């Protein structure tokens, strides 16, 4: 993508952002099913939310730092589909520890997408429309 790209690129990145956040926010919907299936206590359910939150939110600065120093734009091609596969596979898991592992992987896909996509928005837009483009993305 080049600077001054069409609005289509911004729309595509914004739709990817919506999907990425959708996967991240799907855990509360799955919790009642997971509690019954794995006999999780409320404390363990809270730990599931914590694992996803830590990997999805606290890892973003580290990914941003790394992606700023390396050309890793292709990660975007894998982050969104991988997040979808991970959240869909949670229903097929049979071991409790795998639920934690898969949710940690989901958090990593979510946290890798955000800094990279927002930096691409900044790179493909002109100076005068950067704020508007970022507001569409957010």
């Amino acid at each position: 993508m080049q600077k001054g790209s069409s609005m289509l690129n911004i729309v595509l990145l914004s739709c990817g952002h919506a999907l990425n956040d959708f996967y991240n926010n799907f855990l509360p919907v799955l919790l009642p099913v997971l509690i019954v299936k794995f006999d999780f206590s409320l404390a363990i359910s809270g730990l599931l939310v914590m694992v996803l939150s830590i990997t999805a939110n606290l890892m973003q600065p580290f990914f941003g730092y790394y992606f700023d120093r390396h050309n890793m734009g292709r990660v975007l091609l894998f982050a969104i589909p991988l997040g979808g596969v991970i959240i869909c596979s949670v229903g097929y898991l049979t071991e409790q520890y795998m639920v934690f592992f898969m949710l940690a992987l989901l958090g990593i896909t979510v946290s890798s997408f955000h800094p990279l996509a927002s930096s691409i928005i900044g790179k493909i837009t002109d100076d005068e429309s950067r704020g508007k483009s970022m507001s569409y993305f957010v």
Side-chain angles (χ1 to χ4, degrees):
M1 290 186 239
Q2 300 175 33
K3 200 176 229 11
S5 291
S6 70
M7 189 66 174
L8 177 64
N9 292 329
I10 295 163
V11 168
L12 289 174
L13 283 168
S14 300
C15 290
H17 187 210
L19 277 175
N20 192 272
D21 285 351
F22 174 78
Y23 301 147
N24 188 38
N25 292 316
F26 207 74
L27 178 60
V29 177
L30 286 178
L31 273 179
V33 175
L34 295 175
I35 288 171
V36 170
K37 181 176 180 178
F38 293 104
D39 196 30
F40 285 150
S41 66
L42 290 178
I44 296 296
S45 300
L47 284 175
L48 284 173
V49 173
M50 183 186 74
V51 165
L52 180 59
S53 294
I54 285 174
T55 55
N57 298 319
L58 295 180
M59 300 272 306
Q60 284 186 33
F62 300 107
F63 278 113
Y65 179 82
Y66 182 78
F67 291 154
D68 281 347
R69 278 146 184 70
H70 301 85
N71 186 13
M72 300 289 291
R74 294 177 190 228
V75 170
L76 281 181
L77 297 174
F78 302 105
I80 295 170
L82 184 60
V85 168
I86 290 170
I87 198 66
C88 290
S89 69
V90 168
Y92 295 106
L93 300 175
T94 57
E95 300 292 328
Q96 291 181 356
Y97 73 91
M98 287 302 295
V99 176
F100 282 93
F101 178 73
M102 293 302 273
L103 289 176
L105 278 179
L106 176 63
I108 289 171
T109 64
V110 168
S111 64
S112 67
F113 175 84
H114 283 91
L116 190 54
S118 60
S119 71
I120 289 174
I121 290 283
K123 291 176 184 174
I124 66 171
T125 56
D126 298 325
D127 291 339
E128 60 271 357
S129 62
R130 188 167 291 137
K132 183 170 54 169
S133 299
M134 187 57 82
S135 69
Y136 291 144
F137 174 74
V138 172

